[in-house]
Amino acid sequence: MTYCEALEERIAQLEELEEEWFLTGSHQQVKKQCEKSWHNHHIKLCTFKVIDLVLLYDSKFEKILKKYECTS
């Protein structure tokens, strides 16, 4: 195998690899779009009035609890 033949074979391998990367990226985009559309379809509309009670999650307590975790 000459140098030119080896170089041409390597270029062909790289082109195939680039094509696989492109297909993988397009498949990921399609999957993300499907997940997004599913999520958006299952969102429930919630309306709140001024007198409604709601549960508020405050994440500042997580930092305090992590301080006292046991790390053995």
Side-chain angles (χ1 to χ4, degrees):
M1 182 178 274
T2 65
Y3 178 74
C4 291
E5 291 173 349
L7 188 61
E8 288 175 1
E9 185 178 332
R10 181 63 179 152
I11 289 172
Q13 289 175 351
L14 291 175
E15 286 175 352
E16 288 178 16
L17 184 62
E18 184 179 356
E19 184 178 338
E20 288 179 21
W21 284 342
F22 175 75
L23 290 174
T24 303
S26 64
H27 286 294
Q28 287 178 347
Q29 286 179 339
V30 169
K31 185 169 175 70
K32 284 183 182 183
Q33 288 174 351
C34 289
E35 289 175 358
K36 182 181 177 184
S37 65
W38 183 89
H39 177 73
N40 289 340
H41 180 71
H42 288 86
I43 290 178
K44 294 183 177 145
L45 181 62
C46 294
T47 54
F48 298 103
K49 299 174 193 164
V50 176
I51 59 171
D52 287 344
L53 297 176
V54 295
L55 179 62
L56 177 65
Y57 177 74
D58 195 1
S59 64
K60 70 179 179 183
F61 295 115
E62 283 185 7
K63 295 175 186 173
I64 295 171
L65 292 176
K66 286 182 183 179
K67 182 178 180 179
Y68 297 108
E69 283 182 356
C70 195
T71 56
S72 331

